[in-house]
Amino acid sequence: MAHIDNKDRILLRALQHNARLSNAQLAEQASLSDTPCLRRVKKLRQDGVILGYHAALAPQSLGYTVLVYAFIRLSENSAQAATQFEADVEQLQQVLSCSVVSGAHDYLLEIIAEDLPSYEHFVKHRLGAIGCIAGIESTIVLKQTFTKRPLPV
């Protein structure tokens, strides 16, 4: 785990809120001069604290109106099946996240689709084609009230 002090926390909060801040703007928020600020951000990237920069997009504006959480049960509980499943599902663009879970299921997938028929097609022809899956249980999100992408820093 990287050592993170209060100045780093200020930088991380600012970058999570707006990753397009200039180094000068970022330095000002953290009460640093430009060079030490740049050094800190570079170190946070090298230490793996900052994983990357991205644009947050509105799914509806791109035609995605359905959000689904799918619980997956594998046909066998083996490292080989898990590795194969994870490799296969990572290639599916509609899968936003994949988590190993405990309990009656092995994985939880967060999936987007244009509509219910396209989700059905995805399950039958893409997800269902993964050989090591024994069962899929889907929960359709009726309304997402909020999503918190920034981590509490």
Side-chain angles (χ1 to χ4, degrees):
M1 191 166 122
H3 173 72
I4 298 173
D5 64 15
N6 286 337
K7 294 286 186 189
D8 291 335
R9 290 180 192 285
I10 292 168
L11 296 172
L12 292 170
R13 275 193 295 271
L15 286 170
Q16 281 191 109
H17 180 70
N18 182 0
R20 295 187 64 177
L21 288 172
S22 70
N23 186 60
Q25 292 169 314
L26 201 53
E28 183 180 329
Q29 286 193 27
S31 301
L32 293 167
S33 60
D34 289 1
T35 303
C37 179
L38 193 58
R39 244 190 324 263
R40 280 177 177 264
V41 171
K42 184 177 179 182
K43 182 161 178 14
L44 289 166
R45 279 196 316 261
Q46 289 172 341
D47 290 348
V49 177
I50 297 174
L51 299 176
Y53 302 93
H54 72 280
L57 307 177
Q60 297 83 0
S61 68
L62 299 170
Y64 297 107
T65 63
V66 175
L67 177 63
V68 178
Y69 291 103
F71 293 93
I72 307 297
R73 229 176 349 94
L74 298 184
S75 56
E76 62 180 75
N77 192 3
S78 70
Q80 182 181 0
T83 300
Q84 185 61 54
F85 172 77
E86 291 170 16
D88 289 348
V89 82
E90 189 172 5
Q91 301 304 310
L92 302 174
Q93 290 183 328
Q94 297 92 329
V95 178
L96 301 178
S97 69
C98 174
S99 302
V100 177
V101 295
S102 64
H105 302 93
D106 299 305
Y107 289 90
L108 173 63
L109 304 180
E110 182 182 17
I111 302 168
I112 56 168
E114 292 173 355
D115 51 29
L116 289 176
S118 67
Y119 176 68
E120 178 186 13
H121 183 269
F122 171 77
V123 168
K124 289 180 178 176
H125 299 282
R126 302 292 312 276
L127 190 59
I130 298 173
C132 57
I133 294 178
I136 302 168
E137 290 183 30
S138 300
T139 300
I140 308 294
V141 175
L142 298 177
K143 175 183 171 187
Q144 189 170 45
T145 57
F146 69 87
T147 180
K148 288 186 179 180
R149 295 294 177 204
L151 295 176
V153 181

